[in-house]
Amino acid sequence: LSHYSDFLFKLEQSLDEVAIELRNKLIEIAKQPLKAIMKGDTAIGMTVEHALNIVANSSQKPDYKGIELKSGRVTNNRKNLFAQVPNWEISKLKGSGDIVDKYGYERNGDLKLYCTLSATSVNSQGLKLVVDLENDIVNEVHIDDGLVASWEGKMLRKCLINKHKETFWINAEVDLINENEFFSLKDFTHTKNPRVHQLLPLIQQGVVTIDHLIKRKNTTGSAREKGPLFKIKPQALDMLFPEPVLYSLVKV
């Protein structure tokens, strides 16, 4: 068997019918670069879903018959796990607008708070995470002001299992041709059944972090947040998912 045929044989043994169906479709669309259908951070994911004839929607459910698709560049950048706002009822501040008003900065006429929260360091806005394992809570705190916002562990574990019961993490190389982006699919990592009770310890260790992406238009408009986004270092997927498997989409 060739390397490619051998990989297909092993894949047949490890994936169920839906996963094999999705893998076959990825192999087909990976035969040639995909022209981007849009620009921005979500361009690769949207282009891959378009090529797979998946209708874009705002649902939190997995993308393809129960399988979540996460597409990104071939980099060591953190991978998105899910988006989840704090539980405002138990938080000191009661909305993203309150947070950006207190800790944001003016940029290009807008009030913004684009920053990463980690449990192992304080960011430039004086914010960090504190994980209370005993009470099963993740707190965002300010070094001077104390508590800012809080997430319940049970809510975060529910987000993780709902979003990543089974996931294909797709890597693509990006080429710019005549000012158009083209995505060449290279491989994907297959994960299933996350170790949900490892989530809070991994946040505590700084392996999983949170990104705020809050903007108040013209400093006075309504505040909008594209998250908060919970992210994981790509080399740490095996700490959250048992036995992730990497499969090539390129014939060799």
Side-chain angles (χ1 to χ4, degrees):
L1 291 174
S2 69
H3 171 75
Y4 190 69
S5 298
D6 187 50
F7 131 71
L8 292 181
F9 175 77
K10 291 179 180 178
L11 195 57
E12 296 285 355
Q13 307 307 307
S14 62
L15 300 185
D16 62 21
E17 184 177 343
V18 172
I20 291 171
E21 175 183 290
L22 177 56
R23 175 264 294 173
N24 288 341
K25 289 188 175 184
L26 287 175
I27 289 174
E28 190 62 32
I29 67 171
K31 289 180 178 178
Q32 59 187 23
L34 304 175
K35 184 178 179 180
I37 65 169
M38 59 176 290
K39 295 182 179 181
D41 295 339
T42 62
I44 298 179
M46 295 295 288
T47 300
V48 170
E49 290 182 19
H50 180 264
L52 292 170
N53 294 317
I54 296 173
V55 178
N57 61 65
S58 59
S59 171
Q60 293 299 306
K61 294 180 180 180
D63 301 303
Y64 188 89
K65 300 181 181 180
I67 300 177
E68 178 72 7
L69 295 176
K70 287 292 186 181
S71 303
R73 300 169 186 262
V74 180
T75 67
N76 286 320
N77 292 343
R78 294 167 300 146
K79 294 182 178 292
N80 287 346
L81 288 170
F82 55 83
Q84 180 58 49
V85 298
N87 181 337
W88 299 118
E89 291 185 2
I90 63 173
S91 298
K92 181 179 178 181
L93 300 187
K94 300 303 180 182
S96 296
D98 292 346
I99 295 176
V100 72
D101 287 345
K102 191 158 188 176
Y103 301 112
Y105 48 85
E106 192 168 335
R107 186 68 50 83
N108 298 324
D110 299 325
L111 188 63
K112 291 185 174 182
L113 183 61
Y114 284 30
C115 66
T116 296
L117 306 172
S118 171
T120 57
S121 61
V122 178
N123 68 21
S124 57
Q125 280 72 39
L127 300 166
K128 68 170 297 185
L129 299 175
V130 175
V131 180
D132 183 347
L133 293 177
E134 183 176 350
N135 292 303
D136 196 32
I137 285 180
V138 177
N139 292 311
E140 176 182 359
V141 301
H142 187 269
I143 53 173
D144 295 324
D145 304 331
L147 183 65
V148 176
S150 301
W151 292 262
E152 295 169 301
K154 62 181 181 181
M155 174 175 60
L156 298 181
R157 289 188 292 273
K158 181 179 179 181
C159 289
L160 179 61
I161 194 65
N162 285 347
K163 196 70 171 175
H164 292 292
K165 178 70 175 175
E166 185 171 10
T167 304
F168 280 18
W169 307 83
I170 303 166
N171 288 316
E173 290 184 350
V174 182
D175 294 302
L176 191 63
I177 303 173
N178 296 327
E179 299 186 0
N180 293 311
E181 281 191 322
F182 287 82
F183 308 128
S184 298
L185 307 189
K186 296 302 180 183
D187 55 46
F188 69 90
T189 298
H190 178 228
T191 60
K192 295 181 71 172
N193 304 320
R195 300 183 178 106
V196 292
H197 291 287
Q198 286 295 318
L199 181 57
L200 262 60
L202 290 176
I203 295 174
Q204 188 176 52
Q205 296 165 30
V207 174
V208 174
T209 51
I210 303 175
D211 281 8
H212 273 312
L213 298 168
I214 314 174
K215 180 170 74 172
R216 189 182 289 285
K217 189 73 173 174
N218 301 323
T219 73
T220 58
S222 60
R224 296 190 177 187
E225 175 152 24
K226 298 179 182 178
L229 299 178
F230 286 71
K231 298 188 174 186
I232 188 170
K233 297 176 180 178
Q235 62 271 26
L237 280 178
D238 62 349
M239 300 175 73
L240 191 58
F241 299 93
E243 300 181 355
V245 183
L246 177 68
Y247 296 111
S248 175
L249 289 169
V250 181
K251 288 186 176 182
V252 294

